[in-house]
Structures are given as C-alpha cells and as structure tokens.
Amino acid sequence: MLKTTLSLALLLGASTAAYAQENLAPNYNVAEPAVSDPSIKPTAPTVPVITDDEHLYETFGGREGLTALMDDAMARWLQNPKTRPFFEAADQTKIKALLVEQFCVIMHGPCTYSGRTMAEAHRGMNVKEGNFYGLVEELQVAMNKRHIPFRAQNRLIAALAPMHRDIIDK
Amino acid sequence: MLTGGVSTIEGAGGGGIVPWALIGSYATRNQIGASAFVTGVDTQDFTLASYGGAVSFYNRLELSVARQNFNLRDVGAAIGLGNRYTISQTVIGAKLRLFGDAVLDQDTILPQFAVGVQYKINDDKTVVGGALGLKRKGVDIYASATKIVLSQSLLLNATVRLTKANQYGILGFGGLGGKDQAYKAQFEGSAAVLLTRKLAIGGEFRTKSNRLEGALGGTSFREENAYDFFVAYAPTRNISITAAYARLGQIALARQNGAYVSLQLGF
C-alpha cells in the first residue's frame, strides 16, 4: 500500500512537473542588459520574453496601455507604506519609462529595454519580501482597474516573480 | 490573495480536507502571522463543527490547533446514545516548510515542499474508547508538495499521509481489539483554478484506510475515500469564505454527502 501510494504520488508529481515545464515561461531570447560591475551575478533574466506573438502585448493596450498602467501603479506605490520608501525619492518618470520598456519586451512588444539588470538596479536597496508583495499587489489592482484579464495579468506576474532572487534582501 | 490557502478541518493550512505545503496566513519570511477559522459540514445524518487557529513563523513553521465536534444527531438516539450525541477531538499540528516557494519560484518545476504532524486526541471514552475499545490518540505524519503555476492560474497539490486514524480520528485509531495498528499511507490531492485575485474554484480528494469494516456487523463501519468541490472567496486580504460540496464516503451505515462552509480570518 505504501509503495503503491508513493508511486502514485511520484507519478502525479512527475506529470505535474511535465505539465508545468511545458507551461513555464519559454525565453525567446532578447539580450540581457550588460552588467557594469562583474561582482553582480544576476540569477533571473530581466527581460524574459514569454510569448512569440503580440497578443499579450495588445491585451495590455500596447505602449499607450502600459504607460497608463505604470502611471496608475506608480501613484499606488507612492501611497502604499510598503512601497513608498523605494520610490518617493527616486526618479519616478524614469522608472515608469523603464518599466514600460521592460514589460513591453517581456510581452514581445516592439521595444528595447534601456535599463540595468534587476540585480544591479536593486543592489543595496534591502527590499523585503513584504515590500515585493506590496508592489505586486498594487500592480494587480492597477491592472484590474484597466480591465486586463486575470489570466493575462498572471502571465506577466509569472514572468516577473523569479526576479525576487535578484531583488529581495539584496 | 488566496495564495496562502485556507484552513483545513484539521487546522493545518491547505484546502478544506487536504493540507498543503503552504505555510498559512500572508506572513513573509520576516513576519509572524496568525489565522482563526470556523467550519461546518452538514450531511444527511451528521454535522461536523470545527474551529481553531494557527500561528505561522517566517514562512517556515506553522503551528495549529483544531477542535472538532461530530454530532450524531438522530443516529445517536437510534443507537441508544441519546439525541445529538457528539464525539469530540482536538488536533494539534505542526508543519515545516523544507524548501521551495510555490508562489515566487515561477521559473522552476520545483514545488514548495513541507512535512507535518498532527497529534489527535479523541475525547470519547463512551463509544470510541469504551464500546468499540479503540485507541483514542494517534499521530498522523504527512508530506505535501504544492505548486502554483501562475502562468496557467493553477494550484496543484499532492500529499502523502501516514495514519492510523478511522474517519479522521473521529472513530479512533487502529483496528478493533488492538489489531491492525500499523501506519498506512494515504494519498491526498488538490487542484484549483484562480479565477480572479479574490476567487478560486477547485476540487480535492483524500484516500482513507478501512480498518473497521466487518466490525459490529458487516459493512456498517466501512470507510471510503472523500472528495470535495469548493469555491473560495476572499473579499478582503484578512477574510476568506469557502463553500464546498463534500462527498465524504460512507460514515457509519450510509454515504455522507453535504455542504461545507468555512470562514477564515488571517492577520
């Protein structure tokens, strides 16, 4: 019984894994930004392109939609005490423009990302997991306000989530 | 939201009847969180009321306690125990996350993995400890793997549990007359689809051992696998409501199907 159950569990685990692997973000290989300091070793891509068509990018309303989304998200990050300290003294206009570029590239939009890697951009910021989740939650609210379908939102967030290794506690 | 799961009837964070590898509440690796729940399950013959809470430490350790009251209603009178006879048990649980992050690690197939124990103490000395002469205390040991496949808005969980419990421990532990006392492995699974940030639907199943069939006349104490189909709704970050249709399999004489409703508060 133990053996049967364990092999059943392993079988389910394996099929789940195979299913997940097929659906994990494939990378359509946009070159990563260069790292200026060789001591910085990024562990997750900054621009992991997750699709080979422009459907998702269009779902987000293209460049215009992303610009409006980031305007709203930034206003929320400046309100939320979990995220405000990281943005209030920063160049918000530049951050918004870079995030538009980054999201655009990730969704196979016609953009080029001109910023740094996530690892370099967050070095020394001491972002905690709670700050990271706070940022994602406000982004979700902003995406909801723009009526971006939940499944499309999750595809973008799934692409951003692995960046936690280069952002949290760095 | 809802990525922390809800409270199972046994107190551990998970679905309704299956513990997940997730550490309950929204507490991060730097925080301590707490949750409290109350759950009612109403089938044609029985009512189970369960309440309790959990404290979670740094997204690593979850300690939980649940109190279960299993009301035999008319069946109590029918077998001479009196109307609304109730069997109660307490479940004290601990769960340790070993590795993985089901939410954040979206670029790997590696799930979040946790191991847990549940110490169950059944109070009923009249029927469970008395007439049936069964052990009233038992320890369940389980391992859970949970993955959220965010790009597909899916949550998948698999749990293996080593247990001696009959009907979750409500009918004690092990077989009659001190026989059939070995641990048996049971398999439990959950799948859920995240529909919105606040709403998820899914199903669960849980295999159960069948140690008491044949005791006290044929099939009357047969134990069968349990299933449920649930909807979980979190109107705010601190509140979640779960409603389910549960098919609990045979519990004393008849198959028990019914409604499951649970309210959870988290901090």
Side-chain angles (χ1 to χ4, degrees):
Chain A
M1 180 63 194
L2 179 62
K3 271 187 182 162
T4 322
T5 311
L6 281 178
S7 35
L8 185 65
L10 288 172
L11 190 69
L12 187 111
S15 51
T16 303
Y19 179 78
Q21 190 148 44
E22 275 175 26
N23 289 284
L24 281 171
N27 198 337
Y28 297 95
N29 284 327
V30 165
E32 285 289 302
V35 179
S36 65
D37 179 344
S39 74
I40 297 173
K41 306 256 185 274
T43 57
T46 292
V47 280
V49 184
I50 53 172
T51 171
D52 62 356
D53 64 46
E54 301 207 345
H55 184 74
L56 187 61
Y57 175 68
E58 282 155 13
T59 303
F60 274 75
R63 191 177 256 277
E64 199 180 316
L66 283 173
T67 303
L69 175 67
M70 294 329 303
D71 284 342
D72 188 20
M74 181 59 77
R76 293 174 192 282
W77 294 334
L78 289 167
Q79 287 288 316
N80 188 327
K82 285 182 195 162
T83 46
R84 186 195 306 134
F86 302 96
F87 294 105
E88 60 187 352
D91 184 344
Q92 294 149 18
T93 308
K94 188 180 174 195
I95 292 173
K96 285 192 288 184
L98 288 174
L99 285 169
V100 168
E101 288 178 4
Q102 183 188 25
F103 291 4
C104 172
V105 174
I106 287 172
M107 294 187 279
H108 199 69
C111 307
T112 305
Y113 176 64
S114 61
R116 296 174 295 171
T117 61
M118 289 294 103
E120 195 163 357
H122 294 87
R123 186 162 64 154
M125 287 183 73
N126 196 27
V127 174
K128 296 292 173 197
E129 193 181 339
N131 309 125
F132 186 85
Y133 276 118
L135 179 139
V136 172
E137 282 162 16
E138 295 294 357
L139 178 62
Q140 285 182 309
V141 174
M143 290 190 289
N144 279 343
K145 293 280 181 225
R146 295 197 55 76
H147 307 292
I148 294 162
F150 186 63
R151 290 184 69 85
Q153 295 182 20
N154 285 346
R155 288 183 67 193
L156 175 64
I157 292 172
L160 302 176
M163 298 174 193
H164 77 91
R165 290 190 290 270
D166 289 335
I167 295 174
I168 297 172
D169 292 326
K170 297 291 175 185
Chain B
M1 296 205 286
L2 285 172
T3 52
V6 295
S7 296
T8 62
I9 51 169
E10 291 164 322
I17 57 172
V18 178
W20 295 346
L22 305 176
I23 300 299
S25 90
Y26 296 113
T28 67
R29 65 188 77 166
N30 312 108
Q31 295 169 326
I32 294 174
S35 62
F37 76 95
V38 57
T39 298
V41 187
D42 200 44
T43 70
Q44 64 270 38
D45 294 325
F46 305 114
T47 303
L48 174 71
S50 178
Y51 55 91
V55 183
S56 53
F57 299 88
Y58 313 114
N59 195 27
R60 176 62 67 188
L61 177 68
E62 175 192 281
L63 301 177
S64 60
V65 62
R67 179 75 178 163
Q68 298 176 337
N69 297 307
F70 187 78
N71 190 322
L72 273 61
R73 298 189 347 220
D74 295 348
V75 175
I79 56 178
L81 291 165
N83 205 17
R84 304 193 68 76
Y85 185 84
T86 298
I87 298 173
S88 298
Q89 82 170 346
T90 302
V91 183
I92 299 164
K95 186 202 291 175
L96 182 69
R97 182 177 69 87
L98 295 184
F99 58 81
D101 190 307
V103 183
L104 290 178
D105 291 340
Q106 291 296 317
D107 56 346
T108 166
I109 56 168
L110 197 71
Q112 181 162 331
F113 192 84
V115 291
V117 292
Q118 292 177 340
Y119 180 44
K120 300 180 173 181
I121 308 147
N122 188 316
D123 295 351
D124 190 84
K125 292 177 182 164
T126 309
V127 179
V128 176
L132 294 173
L134 293 162
K135 289 204 163 58
R136 291 189 297 109
K137 294 174 185 170
V139 177
D140 286 5
I141 303 160
Y142 64 89
S144 292
T146 306
K147 187 76 201 174
I148 293 175
V149 186
L150 199 53
S151 62
Q152 300 297 318
S153 304
L154 275 181
L155 180 146
L156 301 165
N157 175 78
T159 297
V160 176
R161 179 193 301 258
L162 297 173
T163 184
K164 300 177 182 181
N166 306 310
Q167 304 290 9
Y168 315 96
I170 299 291
L171 288 179
F173 302 85
L176 286 178
K179 291 180 188 144
D180 208 357
Q181 295 294 316
Y183 273 107
K184 287 181 184 167
Q186 305 300 325
F187 182 70
E188 304 173 8
S190 316
V193 181
L194 311 170
L195 293 177
T196 75
R197 213 160 66 90
K198 300 179 175 184
L199 189 67
I201 57 168
E204 299 182 289
F205 75 96
R206 176 166 168 169
T207 69
K208 315 237 301 303
S209 62
N210 180 25
R211 296 179 205 236
L212 297 181
E213 184 171 4
L216 306 175
T219 60
S220 51
F221 275 83
R222 175 185 287 169
E223 182 165 355
E224 297 178 313
N225 300 340
Y227 302 82
D228 72 59
F229 302 95
F230 67 82
V231 180
Y233 176 60
T236 76
R237 209 179 138 77
N238 301 113
I239 300 173
S240 67
I241 299 155
T242 308
Y245 171 66
R247 298 181 67 89
L248 299 178
Q250 184 173 327
I251 301 177
L253 303 172
R255 287 192 169 151
Q256 303 296 325
N257 305 323
Y260 168 116
V261 180
S262 181
L263 172 70
Q264 181 181 300
L265 303 176
F267 309 95

